[in-house]
Amino acid sequence: MADIIDGVSHTFNEFLLIPRLTTKDCTHGNISLTTYLTKVSDKCDLDAMRLNIPMVSAAMQSVSDARMAIALAQEGGLSFIYCSQSIEEQCKMVRSVKLYKAGFVASDTTLSPKDTVATAMRLRAKTGHSTIAITENGCNNDILVGLVTSKDLRLSRIDPNDSLDKYMTPIDKLVVAYEGISLHEANDIIWRHKLNCLPIIDRNKRLKYLTFRKDYDASKKYTSQLVDAQKRLMVGAAINTWDYMDRVPALIDAGADILCVDSSDGYSEYQFDAIKMIKNKYGDKIKIGGGNIVYPDAFNYLVEAGADFVKVGIGGGSICITREQKGIGRGQASAIIDIARERDALYQRTGVYIPICADGGIVHDYHISLAIAMGADFVMLGRYFARFDESPGKKTHIGNQVVKEHWGEGTKRSANWSRYLDTGRPDIIFEEGVDSFVPYVGGLDENLQITLAKLKSAMISCGAKTINDFQKNALLTIVSPSSIVEGGAHDLVSRPMME
Ligand code: IMP
């Protein structure tokens, strides 16, 4: 007969946090939400990747495209761009995140010194930008020779047939900065020299970006941006276990910072082989996470394959019907707690710490606090991000409610991309997800700030200033069904609906 695990498997809703002593230094301003994203060893943590907030967006068509990835990396999190699309399309998304530089703008109004004022006027009208970068042959990424601004063309006697070299401020009279400078340093130069525009060039004097004074406020807003060594926003990419031989090198070439295998059941030889091969061949270039799993034996298996982090959760996702269809899964809270214990035991034995990601089933903001208190290092969310302006789903109405589309990766809709391509992807015989809607709630930034404030408040109540303190100090309790009722608003007469 089959083995049966002792005890029932629990979900987030069945837990609450018990407050620990809140010390006076435990304030919102003093809390760090930085957390490990990849493997770290006692001996050296220089190589480990970190997140600035413990949240990543799910590798789903309705969640993580380039727009979402940019918005989330600006806040300190990370998106895993979905792999249910062609390798070319996925690489294109990755590239556009890597090329995006908040505050560093690639000039779209570039001409050569021999172009005429009339051409400049036409281009300015087309792009809506008044600053014209002048390069030797009029292309971006060419040697910068000057700038023409509105001020230069405001002179009374301008002949539209004059060439721009007559009006431009030449390079030797411009303040410029070199590629690699941080936005903070660029803004300092702008203020010090009272500039409106600071061109950024490389060592060969080729134009890379323009930085504008007017963008300063926008860039100041994002103090926790997740960036790589070259100050580019970071982005992850999902892979599958059948075309990784081609997909992985292409994603590395496109600039992906980290990979994760996207699978509803990660305890498989397919995944072991994929992770092992990628670690052997590309381990010096990129890190990779494995999953999804719900039991410690599977955690050890993926760690042995070389996983840099492990994703936990089967059957708990908002659009997921894996449990109904296959009878496979486990209450997400029990899965996280058991695997976190195994992870901690591994660390005690070896000094190697493998971060775990709680993936799926996060409904309320406080579930994020619970997942971390239970031992997760970060959480992956689909439904949460699908509700925002930045998600790819279409906005529509159901009755009076504004909603956005949200569908699972295990639906035929998601699988459709490979129908006419020779990908070797097995056909879907039955669906493991649904095609549905989520309530639309507005922009990512405003909503995320509220979620993070709640997480910080929970940490303050538990006397924790860091994610690591929180995991170590938290005290959790299982609640009875009647205390769940007690926890909501109850025994009240509802206000009548106003006309
Ligand atoms: P959510 O945050 O509750 O919406 O869960 C998101 C997670 O659900 C994803 O990160 C995946 O692990 C999982 N998921 C995505 N699509 C499907 C599906 O079609 N079936 C089952 N699970 C899915």
Side-chain angles (χ1 to χ4, degrees):
M1 172 199 150
D3 275 348
I4 299 181
I5 300 174
D6 281 341
V8 293
S9 88
H10 294 286
T11 66
F12 289 127
N13 278 347
E14 296 167 78
F15 284 85
L16 284 176
L17 285 157
I18 304 286
R20 314 300 285 157
L21 178 67
T22 301
T23 50
K24 288 183 186 159
D25 59 342
C26 211
T27 59
H28 277 257
N30 274 348
I31 289 186
S32 161
L33 295 179
T34 300
T35 189
Y36 283 118
L37 171 62
T38 61
K39 189 188 306 192
V40 54
S41 136
D42 259 354
K43 295 194 189 79
C44 171
D45 80 344
L46 291 178
D47 189 32
M49 292 171 73
R50 293 174 177 80
L51 294 164
N52 292 335
I53 61 168
M55 294 166 78
V56 301
S57 70
M60 298 174 71
Q61 289 180 358
S62 59
V63 180
S64 297
D65 65 357
R67 184 173 177 211
M68 176 62 73
I70 290 168
L72 184 52
Q74 284 180 322
E75 304 283 352
L78 183 93
S79 292
F80 284 92
I81 305 266
Y82 58 90
C83 58
S84 52
Q85 57 180 327
S86 69
I87 296 173
E88 293 70 34
E89 290 299 315
Q90 192 186 18
C91 287
K92 208 158 113 192
M93 287 188 186
V94 167
R95 265 194 207 98
S96 65
V97 181
K98 298 311 289 182
L99 286 176
Y100 182 89
K101 291 228 166 192
F104 292 105
V105 188
S107 169
D108 63 356
T109 314
T110 307
L111 290 172
S112 84
K114 292 291 160 222
D115 280 313
T116 62
V117 170
T119 309
M121 292 303 194
R122 275 199 300 277
L123 185 60
R124 281 172 57 173
K126 189 170 150 210
T127 63
H129 296 137
S130 56
T131 302
I132 302 167
I134 308 292
T135 63
E136 266 184 9
N137 67 6
C139 298
N140 277 342
N141 211 16
D142 190 30
I143 294 176
L144 183 72
V145 291
L147 275 189
V148 173
T149 64
S150 307
K151 235 194 281 166
D152 301 319
L153 298 181
R154 217 176 278 145
L155 303 172
S156 50
R157 273 180 297 144
I158 289 184
D159 182 342
N161 297 317
D162 277 349
S163 57
L164 289 170
D165 51 3
K166 200 164 160 196
Y167 300 100
M168 74 180 187
T169 308
I171 181 90
D172 54 340
K173 298 230 169 65
L174 285 175
V175 179
V176 296
Y178 287 93
E179 196 180 22
I181 189 172
S182 71
L183 193 54
H184 186 75
E185 291 158 342
N187 284 324
D188 272 356
I189 297 176
I190 287 178
W191 286 103
R192 210 173 330 122
H193 294 274
K194 298 190 174 59
L195 308 172
N196 287 321
C197 173
L198 174 71
I200 313 289
I201 58 176
D202 68 11
R203 294 282 152 201
N204 298 319
K205 302 198 170 125
R206 289 178 195 282
L207 173 65
K208 302 312 281 185
Y209 305 103
L210 301 175
T211 317
F212 293 94
R213 182 203 285 251
K214 66 179 167 48
D215 289 342
Y216 175 68
D217 283 339
S219 61
K220 228 179 20 178
K221 195 168 121 187
Y222 301 114
T223 50
S224 306
Q225 290 194 76
L226 193 68
V227 290
D228 63 18
Q230 295 162 55
K231 312 282 194 289
R232 301 175 304 177
L233 292 177
M234 285 175 58
V235 61
I239 59 163
N240 57 52
T241 51
W242 62 87
D243 68 11
Y244 61 91
M245 300 281 208
D246 299 323
R247 196 175 284 269
V248 169
L251 285 168
I252 292 173
D253 194 48
D257 293 283
I258 184 162
L259 305 172
C260 83
V261 188
D262 182 31
S263 166
S264 66
D265 176 7
Y267 194 13
S268 78
E269 291 184 344
Y270 303 109
Q271 187 153 154
F272 189 96
D273 290 350
I275 294 176
K276 198 158 189 170
M277 176 286 205
I278 293 163
K279 289 302 291 182
N280 281 341
K281 196 156 178 199
Y282 304 107
D284 56 334
K285 296 197 175 80
I286 201 145
K287 313 245 182 216
I288 179 161
N292 284 15
I293 55 146
V294 287
Y295 208 61
D297 53 356
F299 171 79
N300 291 322
Y301 187 70
L302 294 184
V303 170
E304 196 192 320
D308 291 298
F309 70 90
V310 173
K311 256 185 333 123
V312 174
I314 298 180
S318 56
I319 35 52
C320 175
I321 51 170
T322 298
R323 293 184 195 172
E324 283 169 41
Q325 297 282 61
K326 301 204 295 186
I328 296 284
R330 192 174 184 206
Q332 181 66 340
S334 299
I336 298 168
I337 291 167
D338 266 10
I339 292 170
R341 278 202 190 112
E342 190 71 12
R343 186 261 329 268
D344 291 348
L346 176 78
Y347 175 64
Q348 292 304 330
R349 280 197 316 275
T350 63
V352 174
Y353 185 87
I354 309 285
I356 61 176
C357 166
D359 176 16
I362 289 189
V363 179
H364 303 293
D365 288 343
Y366 84 90
H367 288 171
I368 301 174
S369 308
L370 290 180
I372 293 170
M374 287 167 185
D377 297 280
F378 57 100
V379 296
M380 175 175 268
L381 309 105
R383 188 198 62 90
Y384 176 86
F385 288 113
R387 302 171 305 153
F388 302 151
D389 285 317
E390 290 81 356
S391 75
K394 246 198 256 129
K395 200 158 68 169
T396 178
H397 280 85
I398 296 183
N400 288 332
Q401 193 174 14
V402 185
V403 294
K404 289 201 83 174
E405 291 182 311
H406 183 40
W407 63 98
E409 288 299 290
T411 56
K412 290 195 170 150
R413 176 173 182 179
S414 275
N416 213 23
W417 70 274
S418 60
R419 258 183 88 189
Y420 306 105
L421 300 174
D422 184 21
T423 59
R425 185 202 157 108
D427 274 348
I428 284 196
I429 301 169
F430 61 89
E431 298 187 298
E432 282 189 53
V434 296
D435 187 348
S436 192
F437 299 94
V438 287
Y440 164 71
V441 294
L444 180 142
D445 177 51
E446 56 194 290
N447 283 286
L448 190 71
Q449 292 318 319
I450 295 169
T451 301
L452 294 177
K454 288 186 200 171
L455 171 58
K456 286 185 177 179
S457 289
M459 289 171 69
I460 290 170
S461 284
C462 294
K465 283 189 285 189
T466 65
I467 297 288
N468 190 248
D469 286 350
F470 194 30
Q471 291 167 326
K472 279 200 200 127
N473 301 343
L475 180 61
L476 289 149
T477 181
I478 297 182
V479 290
S480 67
S482 50
S483 62
I484 294 174
V485 175
E486 183 190 57
H490 59 89
D491 298 306
L492 305 167
V493 177
S494 305
R495 267 179 198 279
M497 293 284 282
M498 304 301 274
E499 279 295 298

